[in-house]
Amino acid sequence: MIIDFFARALIAGVGVALVAGPAGCFIVWRRMAYFGDAMAHSALLGIALGILLGVDPALGVLGVAAAVALILSGLGANRSLTSDTLLGILSHSALSMGLIALSLMRGARPDLLAYLFGDLLAVGFGDIYWILAGGGMAFVLLLVLWRPLLALSVHEELALAEGINAGAVRAGFMLLIAVLIAAAMKITGALLITALLLIPAAAARRFAHSPESMAVIAACFGVLAVCGGLFGSLQFDTPSGPSIVFAAMLLFLFSLVAGLRDARGKRV
Amino acid sequence: MTQAAPLISAHGLELSLGGRPVLTHVDLAIQPGEIITLIGPNGAGKSSLIRVLMGLVRPDRGEIRRRPHLRIGYMPQKFFIDPALPLRVTRLMTLTAKAGRAEIEGALGETGVAHLADAQVQSLSGGELQRVLLARALLLHPDLLVLDEPAQGVDFGGQAQLYRLIGDIRARRGCGVLLVSHDLHLVMAATDRVLCLNRHLCCAGPPEMVAKDPEFIRLFGEDAAGAFAPYAHGAHGHDHAHTLSGEVAPATDPAHDH
């Protein structure tokens, strides 16, 4: 029984990590870590809305994350408002509103910890199809967006001058992140989704010589982190989200040590 | 393609940014095969003007005509790549263009940096990066090269070479070139026409004429104007240093505001 649940969580987690690694590279290159956090924190509000409206919570997450992305990009157009402060306000407000909405629910109150930090037992059969469909959609979106988004990330003005439609590409990328957040929600929890985007990509940097190789390595590291984290979670009965992030952190430390050895090798 | 049609022509351009007028009453036309240098003090609207001409910014008023199917090769003023993004020169060249290895190396060879094809972009020096970016613009087979401060971060000897290279490229490819600069003396030697911009077009014409224009002298000072003398007589492509600082005199004459 528990093995069934575990296999489901593993399949879903690997599916999400395969897309989250490459998508996370863009989060790193475009310095959008805080942006990702703001979107991920809004996921809790999405869950509350989904339950209230009687639809699948994942749909609620997708809707709210997409709305937050729209608000953020709209505010970003106003130069005087682009700042860490503004993202921080939005991020924490969304998280707090989600927590309030969930705590006000009468009757079968959802398990808050599971939503915040992930619960591998929470991945049901329905979820797995949903997560794989979402992951597949995110993967297709990533393939379509890759070239124009990379050009935009290298030099926005140059990409514009060469005919890239920045508005459409950026909107597509936000939709991609929203889908990923909805898919990863059950496994890592709202608070830790950004880690699955950031850490494998950051760990991949030292081993990569091209954007494409960094994306592939980040996907591999993401899969390793999910597998390691979920086995640890099963073994030690720890929450799945933090266990995955811990495994990712170990991979990142490994990349740091490998980088240090490289640097020393070059100097000698 | 008609021979006489300008690559780009603009009439009555007006642009304000954040409530401040940046461009007022700007008219200009760029002919095929011509090198135009846009010169002016900091904040004169040089970069804004080229953004408007390329269609990146919509002017508040005025009309722009680009020749149909005009291909523009652009080299931006500031170019910084996040150290977290691993990028080889070849990949930088093909961000939007589709080109094979031979074509890429051909373009890099034209700007003298074919040996850098596999280098990481972050490891390039200022001069190397500018040449790579120029090669990148060439890869698009441009009818017009738009180069915003191409000699930035390049040492003095390298600057002279870079401007000579731009002249060679024009001669070989017959493309128009729109240069933006505020280092006067070197640019002047390699340009057909100078447009002096200080939110409006102060003066325009061949470099020797512009250098004598009272508006130009007011903006850039007597030193700058005097520095043209050797270029007016001298051969092309000399590389000796002048005492001229190349700095811009402050434009503070209130009587001139219009």
Side-chain angles (χ1 to χ4, degrees):
Chain A
M1 182 64 186
I2 194 107
I3 295 305
D4 274 358
F5 276 109
F6 183 72
R8 267 178 239 157
L10 202 59
I11 292 169
V14 167
V16 167
L18 280 174
V19 193
C25 291
F26 283 111
I27 299 276
V28 170
W29 297 332
R30 299 171 67 82
R31 306 188 171 196
M32 290 169 73
Y34 218 171
F35 187 98
D37 255 354
M39 280 177 72
H41 287 178
S42 73
L44 217 53
L45 186 60
I47 287 188
L49 277 182
I51 295 173
L52 279 176
L53 296 173
V55 298
D56 191 318
L59 275 181
V61 172
L62 186 59
V64 172
V68 166
L70 273 180
I71 293 171
L72 283 175
S73 55
L75 292 176
N78 184 336
R79 230 183 250 169
S80 63
L81 288 175
T82 8
S83 67
D84 283 0
T85 311
L86 197 72
L87 276 178
I89 291 170
L90 196 73
S91 163
H92 295 113
S93 305
L95 184 62
S96 301
M97 277 156 66
L99 287 170
I100 290 171
L102 285 178
S103 71
L104 284 179
M105 280 180 187
R106 311 250 172 245
R109 190 181 285 184
D111 177 8
L112 198 57
L113 276 184
Y115 285 125
L116 286 176
F117 300 114
D119 180 1
L120 68 92
L121 298 180
V123 182
F125 260 123
D127 292 323
I128 215 171
Y129 293 125
W130 203 99
I131 288 172
L132 289 182
M137 183 184 149
F139 185 71
V140 171
L141 220 70
L142 190 68
L143 284 183
V144 172
L145 291 175
W146 183 267
R147 268 181 74 86
L149 190 57
L150 183 64
L152 270 183
S153 306
V154 169
H155 197 285
E156 177 143 342
E157 203 183 45
L158 198 54
L160 288 174
E162 289 167 8
I164 303 287
N165 183 344
V169 172
R170 245 184 258 130
F173 183 60
M174 283 172 193
L175 180 65
L176 164 67
I177 298 296
V179 171
L180 264 182
I181 285 171
M185 177 76 199
K186 289 241 158 138
I187 301 156
T188 62
L191 288 185
L192 298 172
I193 288 172
T194 325
L196 201 56
L197 291 164
L198 277 183
I199 304 180
R205 172 61 185 100
R206 274 178 202 284
F207 306 102
H209 297 285
S210 71
E212 288 75 17
S213 67
M214 182 159 154
V216 170
I217 297 169
C220 296
F221 279 176
V223 169
L224 277 178
V226 164
C227 294
L230 286 181
F231 276 108
S233 168
L234 185 68
Q235 189 72 38
F236 304 106
D237 193 23
T238 49
S240 59
S243 311
I244 291 171
V245 175
F246 185 75
M249 184 203 75
L250 290 180
L251 283 170
F252 178 69
L253 288 179
F254 158 73
S255 85
L256 278 187
V257 173
L260 283 179
R261 280 183 50 193
D262 270 8
R264 199 180 305 153
K266 267 178 207 152
R267 228 173 288 140
V268 172
Chain B
M1 261 182 247
T2 46
Q3 305 290 295
L7 297 173
I8 296 185
S9 62
H11 300 286
L13 294 183
E14 308 261 341
L15 178 71
S16 302
L17 292 176
R20 286 184 55 228
V22 180
L23 299 172
T24 52
H25 294 296
V26 175
D27 296 341
L28 65 88
I30 303 170
Q31 306 298 332
E34 141 180 85
I35 300 187
I36 293 192
T37 301
L38 195 58
I39 212 162
N42 285 329
K46 303 185 293 288
S47 292
S48 296
L49 178 55
I50 61 166
R51 276 189 207 120
V52 168
L53 290 175
M54 288 193 298
L56 298 182
V57 176
R58 196 188 292 262
D60 300 332
R61 231 168 290 148
E63 187 193 15
I64 299 172
R65 287 211 185 124
R66 287 179 209 93
R67 208 176 68 183
H69 313 296
L70 180 72
R71 285 185 305 263
I72 297 179
Y74 175 49
M75 181 170 153
Q77 182 182 1
K78 294 192 186 86
F79 195 87
F80 167 81
I81 293 187
D82 195 292
L85 175 52
L87 196 67
R88 284 202 181 95
V89 166
T90 45
R91 189 69 184 85
L92 172 68
M93 304 275 288
T94 53
L95 279 176
T96 56
K98 290 213 164 79
R101 177 86 190 181
E103 216 179 329
I104 295 169
E105 282 183 351
L108 287 170
E110 209 172 329
T111 62
V113 286
H115 60 288
L116 295 175
D118 292 312
Q120 288 284 323
V121 176
Q122 282 95 341
S123 72
L124 302 181
S125 74
E128 288 169 341
L129 180 63
Q130 297 303 79
R131 281 165 182 264
V132 165
L133 290 175
L134 188 55
R136 190 180 180 283
L138 292 180
L139 203 56
L140 301 169
H141 303 289
D143 306 304
L144 175 66
L145 275 175
V146 178
L147 314 175
D148 196 351
E149 304 268 4
Q152 238 180 18
V154 180
D155 61 65
F156 191 86
Q159 289 184 10
Q161 283 177 357
L162 191 63
Y163 286 118
R164 218 174 298 148
L165 174 63
I166 292 167
D168 291 346
I169 287 169
R170 185 267 304 260
R172 195 162 40 226
R173 294 182 169 237
C175 56
V177 181
L178 175 61
L179 276 168
V180 176
S181 183
H182 60 235
D183 47 77
L184 308 168
H185 39 298
L186 281 166
V187 177
M188 292 295 198
T191 191
D192 301 322
R193 212 145 57 91
V194 176
L195 305 179
C196 179
L197 185 76
N198 190 22
R199 277 176 247 163
H200 64 287
L201 281 182
C202 306
C203 49
E208 319 82 64
M209 263 176 64
V210 167
K212 289 187 201 129
D213 195 295
E215 288 253 21
F216 177 85
I217 293 169
R218 193 187 57 77
L219 268 179
F220 290 97
E222 297 278 351
D223 283 357
F228 287 117
Y231 291 97
H233 313 294
H236 292 283
H238 45 209
D239 53 7
H240 53 280
H242 294 279
T243 49
L244 159 71
S245 65
E247 269 165 26
V248 166
T252 49
D253 184 4
H256 185 69
D257 276 344
H258 46 237

